[in-house]
Amino acid sequence: MRTHAFDIKTTIRGSVPRVPFEVLKKSVLGSHYELSLVVCGDTLAQRINIQYRKKDYFPNVLSFELEKNSGEIFLNVRKAEREARSLGVSTQKRLALLYVHGLYHLKGMKHGEKMENEEKKVLKKFSLL
């Protein structure tokens, strides 16, 4: 039985807070889901947002389903850092929430109370809430 790939590409300079990306991915999407995570800054996130969504702003996270069991997430660390400061939380916790949010979108969930409750359960399980 082959497990599918999990790939992280970082396009920014500097360190990124440690978040258990692969463990969170397996918890939400299972081990058979193939995921590419791009850890980026404002410029790339905005360019992808304009190109694929026709929206011109700095998104904090973008998720794209590629096939039934594969997808890609763009996680904007710079936007997450600014949001963490304004919310009074750590960048690690903000990144974890945004990433899990993107995972649930890939799972097919829409914004709302059910999605928020699922996000909280996973974050709590890994002490990231």
Side-chain angles (χ1 to χ4, degrees):
M1 182 164 83
R2 172 171 125 63
T3 57
H4 293 275
F6 175 73
D7 182 50
I8 299 178
K9 180 178 181 177
T10 303
T11 65
I12 58 170
R13 289 192 181 99
S15 63
V16 176
R18 294 180 64 91
V19 174
F21 292 116
E22 190 166 10
V23 174
L24 290 167
K25 175 248 167 201
K26 285 181 182 174
S27 180
V28 175
L29 298 172
S31 58
H32 296 293
Y33 195 94
E34 193 168 319
L35 181 66
S36 172
L37 170 62
V38 179
V39 177
C40 63
D42 286 332
T43 305
L44 179 57
Q46 182 181 33
R47 191 167 66 229
I48 296 295
N49 204 23
I50 291 168
Q51 184 175 350
Y52 293 100
R53 301 181 64 234
K54 309 294 184 241
K55 297 186 180 193
D56 188 4
Y57 63 89
F58 301 135
N60 49 25
V61 65
L62 294 167
S63 52
F64 299 97
E65 183 179 25
L66 302 175
E67 294 177 7
K68 185 180 187 288
N69 285 313
S70 70
E72 187 164 42
I73 290 178
F74 289 80
L75 189 57
N76 182 349
V77 173
R78 301 301 173 234
K79 175 85 178 223
E81 289 169 341
R82 293 190 300 271
E83 291 174 345
R85 276 193 300 275
S86 71
L87 294 168
V89 298
S90 72
T91 301
Q92 178 199 36
K93 287 183 179 177
R94 184 67 186 160
L95 281 173
L97 170 64
L98 294 171
Y99 176 66
V100 168
H101 184 80
L103 293 173
Y104 275 108
H105 275 307
L106 290 176
K107 194 169 182 166
M109 293 189 93
K110 305 284 184 229
H111 291 147
E113 195 175 327
K114 183 178 183 199
M115 184 177 188
E116 289 174 17
N117 289 337
E118 292 300 315
E119 291 168 351
K120 285 177 187 171
K121 275 190 229 173
V122 170
L123 293 169
K124 196 176 271 189
K125 178 179 177 183
F126 294 100
S127 302
L128 291 165
L129 191 60

